Amino acid sequence: SYTTDTKSREENKRTLENLYSLSVDITKIRRLKEWVLLQDVAYVKEIACILQEMGADKTAIANIIERCPEAILHTPAEINSQRALWLLVCQNEKQLIKLIEQFPESFFTTEYQQNQKANILFLQELGLKNNIITRFLTSAPSIFYNPVEKNKNVIETLQRNYLNLGGSEANMKIWILKLLSQNPFILLNTSAAIQDNLEFLQKNDFTDQEVLQLLSKLKGFIFQLNSTTMQKSMLFSKNIFKCSDKELKQLVLKCPALLYYSVPVLEERLEGLLKEGISIAQIRETPMVLELTTQIVQYRIKKLSALGYDIKSGNLESLNGTKKDFEVTYGKIQSKKERPIFNPVAPLHIED
């Protein structure tokens, strides 16, 4: 609804004066979104006043406007509605203003308020804790823009499939909530796409139990794939590791990344490992190493080499895991290396 034609229009002097009075860095706005300064109507003082009511100081208000200049184009009524909406899941206004400071764009997207409210209430009914919903509002705001019926359909498809695959009614709620917490973007998929991906796995001889296992391991990312890319990735792995269908299935269960990553990504990571002198046999033994980017692998190999640990002759387990996992492994190898060969406090047995 805002024009972006900057040639024929001048900056709104009143808007500029109001921004100056708030110590807002106008050069930042010119660089980011100059069109905001050209609008005939802006609510600079009013929006600043609402933010101040919520507990923001002058510096915080200036930062918020600099990061999200279009905030000043919303009416006070729109912002107060958004404030009431977010307070459905925020503990208080102190927490709310902190979130606005960190994620102003998410808060100042007010076009979908009805959908946002319906989806917040639906997620609460589902049993998601408010702190998880606030995390979604800031990091995955687009899931709230869908009509609530669409999100309900996706959840119902997941519930139905979970039970069809042998999951128990008692565990279903926990499973759904965990899946959503790990990857809220599954709500952006269609029910048909979810169904298609599950059928693909079943056609490739994964048992119902194994499909459930994969769903949990992939944290819902499987729903963002399609059968064509999964087929290509599996074929690529089969050729590289020279294995049978049965062996391939075991590799995928061990390392779902073989299913999730596209062929170019797998190729690049494989190439990076081979350049470091790691063999295909070693990778096949520990395929989880393909979950790591080439840069992470190089960094970890370098650190281990500095301790005298030869990755080419050892197994790749020491490279695996999260940053925290690696630091624990590295610490163990380091302390082993630094440990004295003999115990200096042990009594010496000297023959007479």
Side-chain angles (χ1 to χ4, degrees), residues 54-117:
M54 284 191 261
D57 59 21
K58 202 171 179 182
T59 308
I61 292 168
N63 284 337
I64 289 166
I65 294 172
E66 282 164 15
R67 285 186 58 196
C68 183
E70 58 268 44
I72 63 172
L73 302 179
H74 291 290
T75 66
E78 284 173 332
I79 298 311
N80 277 322
S81 291
Q82 195 74 338
R83 175 186 182 178
L85 194 62
W86 282 47
L87 281 170
L88 291 173
V89 286
C90 288
Q91 292 167 353
N92 49 41
E93 295 208 316
K94 190 181 174 184
Q95 188 201 6
L96 174 55
I97 201 67
K98 272 188 182 174
L99 289 176
I100 296 171
E101 282 182 63
Q102 289 174 283
F103 307 95
E105 293 87 354
S106 299
F107 179 78
F108 288 105
T109 301
T110 62
E111 292 88 332
Y112 308 92
Q113 278 181 345
Q114 278 186 316
N115 286 354
Q116 281 183 327
K117 185 172 184 178

Side-chain angles (χ1 to χ4, degrees), residues 157-163 165 175-176 178-180 182-183 186 194-195 197-199 201-202 206-225 230 252-253 256 259:
T157 302
L158 289 170
Q159 289 171 329
R160 190 173 57 251
N161 278 292
Y162 180 77
L163 294 174
L165 291 165
W175 182 78
I176 289 281
K178 192 177 177 185
L179 205 59
L180 269 176
Q182 290 170 329
N183 182 15
I186 57 175
I194 290 172
Q195 202 68 48
N197 287 348
L198 293 175
E199 282 169 14
L201 293 174
Q202 287 169 318
F206 286 93
T207 66
D208 288 353
Q209 197 55 46
E210 286 167 345
V211 174
L212 265 187
Q213 192 186 323
L214 275 173
L215 297 191
S216 301
K217 275 192 174 182
L218 278 164
K219 300 178 181 175
F221 289 117
I222 191 168
F223 301 127
Q224 285 161 244
L225 303 175
M230 286 194 280
V252 169
L253 288 169
L259 199 65

Side-chain angles (χ1 to χ4, degrees), residues 6-18:
T6 57
K7 289 175 188 170
S8 60
R9 305 190 61 187
E10 286 184 3
E11 290 179 353
N12 184 322
K13 286 192 175 72
R14 192 174 172 193
T15 301
L16 294 178
E17 283 166 16
N18 288 335

Side-chain angles (χ1 to χ4, degrees), residues 93-330:
E93 295 208 316
K94 190 181 174 184
Q95 188 201 6
L96 174 55
I97 201 67
K98 272 188 182 174
L99 289 176
I100 296 171
E101 282 182 63
Q102 289 174 283
F103 307 95
E105 293 87 354
S106 299
F107 179 78
F108 288 105
T109 301
T110 62
E111 292 88 332
Y112 308 92
Q113 278 181 345
Q114 278 186 316
N115 286 354
Q116 281 183 327
K117 185 172 184 178
N119 279 307
I120 286 171
L121 296 174
F122 166 60
L123 292 174
Q124 284 177 328
E125 280 166 30
L126 209 56
L128 267 184
K129 289 191 169 70
N130 282 342
N131 64 323
I132 304 285
I133 300 174
T134 53
R135 200 181 82 212
F136 290 177
L137 277 169
T138 53
S139 60
S142 52
I143 68 169
F144 294 89
Y145 305 160
N146 287 330
V148 72
E149 291 73 26
K150 196 260 175 200
N151 286 342
K152 278 182 179 174
N153 279 341
V154 171
I155 295 297
E156 281 163 13
T157 302
L158 289 170
Q159 289 171 329
R160 190 173 57 251
N161 278 292
Y162 180 77
L163 294 174
N164 289 345
L165 291 165
S168 72
E169 190 87 48
N171 292 332
M172 182 174 70
K173 185 182 174 182
I174 297 164
W175 182 78
I176 289 281
L177 294 181
K178 192 177 177 185
L179 205 59
L180 269 176
S181 304
Q182 290 170 329
N183 182 15
F185 294 105
I186 57 175
L187 290 172
L188 298 180
N189 293 286
T190 63
S191 303
I194 290 172
Q195 202 68 48
D196 185 48
N197 287 348
L198 293 175
E199 282 169 14
F200 167 81
L201 293 174
Q202 287 169 318
K203 280 175 194 165
N204 278 273
D205 296 326
F206 286 93
T207 66
D208 288 353
Q209 197 55 46
E210 286 167 345
V211 174
L212 265 187
Q213 192 186 323
L214 275 173
L215 297 191
S216 301
K217 275 192 174 182
L218 278 164
K219 300 178 181 175
F221 289 117
I222 191 168
F223 301 127
Q224 285 161 244
L225 303 175
N226 62 63
S227 50
T228 311
T229 55
M230 286 194 280
Q231 187 71 62
K232 284 178 182 171
S233 296
M234 281 176 74
L235 191 62
F236 173 78
S237 299
K238 189 179 178 181
N239 292 335
I240 286 294
F241 296 121
K242 296 182 170 51
C243 56
S244 66
D245 288 342
K246 196 177 177 182
E247 288 167 329
L248 176 65
K249 202 175 81 163
Q250 290 312 308
L251 282 174
V252 169
L253 288 169
K254 209 172 176 184
C255 174
L258 296 176
L259 199 65
Y260 175 65
Y261 289 121
S262 65
V263 171
V265 170
L266 290 173
E267 269 178 329
E268 186 211 338
R269 293 187 178 186
L270 204 68
E271 206 176 298
L273 289 164
L274 296 175
K275 273 183 187 168
E276 296 294 333
I278 291 164
S279 69
I280 291 284
Q282 281 176 295
I283 300 166
R284 181 173 168 170
E285 194 60 40
T286 316
M288 293 79 77
V289 77
L290 291 166
E291 291 172 1
L292 304 169
T293 66
T294 304
Q295 289 80 0
I296 291 172
V297 167
Q298 286 169 342
Y299 167 76
R300 292 182 180 184
I301 288 174
K302 202 174 176 182
K303 280 201 83 170
L304 292 172
S305 297
L307 294 179
Y309 185 90
D310 184 14
I311 202 76
K312 294 171 206 167
S313 56
N315 81 31
L316 304 183
E317 287 292 341
S318 49
L319 288 177
N320 275 345
T322 60
K323 187 182 177 186
K324 198 176 176 183
D325 295 334
F326 175 71
E327 280 165 5
V328 169
T329 305
Y330 178 80

